[in-house]
Amino acid sequence: MHSPPFVQQRADPPTPIAYSPPPGLPPILYADDALLIVEKPSGLLSVPGRGPGHADCLLSRVHALFPDARIVHRLDMATSGLLVLARGSEMERRLSIAFQKRQVGKCYLAVVAGRPTPDQGEIRLPLITDWPNRPRQKVAPEAGKACFTEYAVVTHRPEDGTSRVALIPHTGRSHQLRVHMQAIGHPILGDELYADPANRDAAPRLLLHATRLSLEHPVSGQRLSFDSPAPF
């Protein structure tokens, strides 16, 4: 399938967002000696950010109960949903390999502006860091790294012109889902980095949630599947 036409907007440098994460230990859906499955809330960093004011994060909170927990993948601060943590260095190594080999199934739910056409499709647009506007990423057909996202419209709301879509990333580039949806003209509502002002202000948070996750247990080999309903 050919890549869809993309909308590349010239953006002003991002305004720093005040860090005020929600309190409390994120829900732990599964825990054993090898791994943890945690629900990250929107507004909480996955790992510490730059500076002492950004030390509070999902990893530091989980360490209060599981000091050996290690991050093997991340969610953007504004994204909520399912996150995997390894227990110890060997499990970190095994799970990291599983992610690198794309053996972990992931599905996200998002609310976007408009209605993507057709209702199911593929987005294959290479991405690269937009260095003058970091942490933004941008579409770069020649210099970018290959990125592949599947999407499917779940429901459409003609009354407000929005759609709920399922997104499956087959690659794991930074901000991939956010940039891909903006690039085809359907930005995710509440996106501080990529949505136009009207769609940025249409929701109190980024309406993107990691809703399904499946992987092989790094010790037993049993396939594990987890679901987390979107809170929007």
Side-chain angles (χ1 to χ4, degrees), residues 19 21 43-60 74 77:
Y19 185 47
L44 179 65
L45 290 166
S46 295
V47 297
R50 294 183 179 178
H54 295 83
D56 183 19
C57 63
L58 179 138
L59 182 61
S60 66
R74 304 179 189 185
M77 181 180 73

Side-chain angles (χ1 to χ4, degrees), residues 52-213:
H54 295 83
D56 183 19
C57 63
L58 179 138
L59 182 61
S60 66
R61 295 183 186 185
V62 171
H63 275 166
L65 291 180
F66 301 95
D68 61 349
R70 301 189 179 201
I71 284 282
V72 291
H73 72 123
R74 304 179 189 185
L75 295 176
D76 294 342
M77 181 180 73
T79 303
S80 57
L82 297 169
L83 193 68
V84 183
L85 294 95
R87 301 283 306 276
S89 59
E90 177 58 21
M91 295 303 106
E92 179 187 25
R93 185 188 70 82
R94 295 185 190 185
L95 287 168
S96 294
I97 290 172
F99 274 93
Q100 291 166 10
K101 292 184 175 180
R102 301 176 189 173
Q103 296 170 342
V104 179
K106 294 178 285 184
C107 181
Y108 293 71
L109 279 177
V111 178
V112 304
R115 181 171 187 166
T117 304
D119 280 348
Q120 293 184 321
E122 299 177 356
I123 307 170
R124 297 178 182 268
L125 294 171
L127 301 181
I128 194 172
T129 300
D130 185 0
W131 287 104
N133 298 308
R134 284 176 294 175
R136 283 193 174 108
Q137 309 293 305
K138 65 179 181 179
V139 174
E142 301 298 328
K145 295 181 179 179
C147 290
F148 172 27
T149 300
E150 282 187 85
Y151 74 85
V153 175
V154 178
T155 56
H156 176 64
R157 287 172 50 92
E159 60 269 31
D160 63 7
T162 66
S163 298
R164 182 174 292 254
V165 296
L167 301 171
I168 298 177
H170 291 276
T171 48
R173 308 300 180 196
S174 181
H175 298 179
Q176 175 178 322
L177 301 179
R178 300 165 68 176
V179 180
H180 272 179
M181 296 313 295
Q182 182 273 331
I184 65 168
H186 301 283
I188 300 174
L189 301 190
D191 194 332
E192 296 278 353
L193 290 180
Y194 301 103
D196 56 278
N199 287 308
R200 179 195 64 206
D201 297 338
R205 53 154 290 188
L206 175 70
L207 299 189
L208 179 64
H209 183 77
T211 189
R212 290 202 301 272
L213 183 76

Side-chain angles (χ1 to χ4, degrees), residues 8-41:
Q8 188 69 57
Q9 297 180 344
R10 184 177 180 85
D12 296 326
T15 301
I17 301 171
Y19 185 47
S20 181
L25 180 70
I28 297 174
L29 304 187
Y30 178 90
D32 65 15
D33 291 340
L35 60 87
L36 307 168
I37 304 294
V38 182
E39 278 187 321
K40 189 187 84 66

